[in-house]
Amino acid sequence: MPDIHAKTFSPSSSCKWLNCPGSVLLEAEFPDKESDYMREGTLAHAIAERKVKKHFTPVSQKTFTSQMNRLKTNPLYRNEMQGYTDTYLDYIKEVAMSFPAAPFVAVEKQVSFGNYAPGGFGTSDCIVIGGNTMYVCDFKYGKGVKVDAEKNTQGMLYALGALNAYEMFYRIDEIVISIIQPRLDSISEYRISAQELKKWADEYLKPAVQKIINGSTECNPGPWCDKGFCKARGKCAALANKNLELADDYELAAPEELSFAMIGDALMKGRQLKAWLAALEEYALSKSLAGFEIPGWKAVAGRSIRQFTDTDKAFEHFIKNGVEKDMLYKRVPITLTEAEKLIGKKEFAKIAKDYVVKSEPKPTLAELSGKREAYKPNNAANDFADII
């Protein structure tokens, strides 16, 4: 039986353990790693939390300013965080104002769904309850992957925990799961009834949790291998078999020329193989560095990069030794996005409208299942397509 603890049923990795119970055992040997991206997200969340609390709870300006100044000392702090967190705050304010009376608001609320998964809990960024509706809001600072709220298991687990915490005090019929991702200009909502959410928990969540408790080794490769950031994807035999089958099963019916159907199929399989090979190489390198032998491969030293130990002190020394100061610095204007965040979206739109032009988007290839519309070249044939 695997070592079951709260981290096993973390909402943030729920897409993975709900679909692939065997991943819990496979990942046991891998330590948790916190990247700069994660630390940056934690900082942005702290800024967002203080802004929402200041708006909805009695917090003095002096206290707020003091808290914000401390956060600004973090090496990962960037001025643009203010604009992005304001977007999140604006959404919460709009939700609150949509109710006829002032709603109940909880910020950074720890919620538990331990009645479905032993020790399962998470921290919801913001919960708003008004009338018979509860909003469960999730602020995401990342910009790598756009996250959709529809049937998002992390949001559903937060909602389940929030329902456990508040349904004895409020009548909650409908739940709105919101994901606010300002760096991708994305706000996504998913509506589900409280009854539907509980049904999902009974019929889907409980059986998946029980498999893990029973020590299941069942591995089911799928999108969650990457989206759930599975640490074991480089050693998973089920994922390896799936990807090797993709390569083995591909046969060229017309060796002299690829059909469009074959190109589409090869691109789809190649994308999966590329992601898997990257994970395989990362795992092999980690084992090689740990002293294990990977037949046919070895770890070697990468490229070394020179850098200053202290740029400011180095430049002071250069200037004292006759180097012109102007030779050491470049004056570079900030980007349009940075300017918009500094000035504010509304004010920027008002004063910059005569100086901003939107370029024609560059075509890129995407899977047909994606939500973006197909690209339509801006040419005469398309202008008159409806007439011809």
Side-chain angles (χ1 to χ4, degrees):
M1 180 181 293
D3 179 22
I4 301 297
H5 47 77
K7 194 178 291 185
T8 299
F9 300 117
S10 167
S12 62
S13 60
S14 57
C15 178
K16 176 177 57 187
W17 54 260
L18 279 169
N19 289 286
C20 184
S23 64
V24 174
L25 286 172
L26 278 182
E27 287 190 304
E29 73 167 83
F30 296 89
D32 290 328
K33 293 181 181 179
E34 188 179 38
S35 66
D36 277 347
Y37 295 112
M38 295 169 68
R39 286 187 281 269
E40 182 184 58
T42 299
L43 175 61
H45 269 79
I47 294 171
E49 175 190 355
R50 280 150 183 79
K51 287 184 176 182
V52 178
K53 281 184 175 178
K54 181 178 183 293
H55 183 80
F56 290 101
T57 60
V59 177
S60 70
Q61 183 61 43
K62 182 179 178 181
T63 299
F64 174 75
T65 302
S66 176
Q67 293 173 340
M68 198 60 66
N69 286 339
R70 280 199 297 272
L71 293 172
K72 288 179 180 179
T73 62
N74 190 307
L76 294 174
Y77 175 80
R78 300 290 182 271
N79 285 333
E80 64 183 23
M81 288 181 173
Q82 298 295 337
Y84 291 127
T85 51
D86 280 346
T87 299
Y88 169 68
L89 173 62
D90 288 344
Y91 175 80
I92 304 297
K93 287 160 66 175
E94 287 177 13
V95 167
M97 290 174 64
S98 69
F99 296 104
F104 166 80
V105 178
V107 183
E108 292 296 316
K109 170 69 177 177
Q110 184 172 300
V111 294
S112 169
F113 49 92
N115 51 330
Y116 293 99
F121 76 94
T123 302
S124 178
D125 294 332
C126 188
I127 298 168
V128 183
I129 304 174
N132 298 332
T133 302
M134 176 173 70
Y135 278 77
V136 179
C137 307
D138 188 15
F139 171 60
K140 293 193 180 297
Y141 194 67
K143 62 176 182 178
V145 178
K146 185 177 288 189
V147 183
D148 198 327
E150 186 173 354
K151 296 183 180 178
N152 180 277
T153 56
Q154 180 179 6
M156 292 171 79
L157 289 175
Y158 286 151
L160 200 60
L163 198 59
N164 285 338
Y166 296 113
E167 66 177 344
M168 67 182 72
F169 306 109
Y170 302 94
R171 177 181 169 180
I172 301 171
D173 295 329
E174 184 176 48
I175 299 165
V176 182
I177 296 169
S178 305
I179 295 179
I180 303 94
Q181 206 167 1
R183 294 176 83 187
L184 291 178
D185 198 24
S186 172
I187 296 177
S188 176
E189 293 183 346
Y190 173 55
R191 292 178 180 268
I192 184 172
S193 71
Q195 186 178 1
E196 287 176 306
L197 182 64
K198 289 179 179 179
K199 183 179 179 183
W200 171 80
D202 284 328
E203 298 180 359
Y204 185 71
L205 174 60
K206 270 187 175 180
V209 167
Q210 193 57 52
K211 280 186 177 183
I212 293 170
I213 292 173
N214 292 341
S216 173
T217 57
E218 176 191 342
C219 290
N220 302 308
W224 42 86
C225 295
D226 291 319
K227 290 182 180 178
F229 302 109
C230 180
K231 297 191 286 276
R233 60 190 183 276
K235 65 176 282 189
C236 177
L239 182 59
N241 286 331
K242 178 184 176 183
N243 281 286
L244 292 172
E245 284 172 9
L246 288 177
D248 289 342
D249 290 347
Y250 193 74
E251 295 181 4
L252 294 178
E256 72 283 354
E257 184 178 346
L258 289 173
S259 69
F260 290 153
M262 293 163 66
I263 290 172
D265 186 50
L267 283 169
M268 193 70 71
K269 291 175 178 178
R271 180 170 289 184
Q272 294 180 49
L273 285 167
K274 183 179 178 182
W276 173 64
L277 285 171
L280 195 66
E281 185 173 343
E282 181 183 351
Y283 180 68
L285 175 61
S286 69
K287 288 301 177 184
S288 183
L289 291 173
F292 295 92
E293 184 179 341
I294 307 296
W297 296 87
K298 62 182 177 181
V300 297
R303 181 177 152 213
S304 179
I305 300 174
R306 296 185 302 164
Q307 57 186 9
F308 290 117
T309 54
D310 188 317
T311 304
D312 291 337
K313 287 183 178 179
F315 281 16
E316 285 177 15
H317 183 68
F318 294 166
I319 293 167
K320 286 179 183 178
N321 284 270
V323 179
E324 291 291 332
K325 184 176 181 180
D326 290 346
M327 294 173 61
L328 299 173
Y329 293 93
K330 293 180 180 179
R331 188 179 178 186
V332 181
I334 63 175
T335 65
L336 183 150
T337 302
E338 290 170 334
E340 184 180 54
K341 294 302 172 186
L342 275 173
I343 300 168
K345 271 194 173 183
K346 292 180 181 178
E347 185 65 18
F348 180 84
K350 185 167 44 173
I351 65 176
K353 60 182 179 180
D354 294 332
Y355 301 95
V356 175
V357 62
K358 196 169 184 180
S359 62
E360 182 72 17
K362 186 179 178 181
T364 186
L365 204 59
E367 293 180 28
L368 190 62
S369 58
K371 292 187 175 181
R372 285 183 292 177
E373 289 185 11
Y375 178 78
K376 295 179 180 178
N378 185 16
N379 55 38
N382 278 314
D383 289 342
F384 293 95
D386 294 334
I387 301 175
I388 297 172

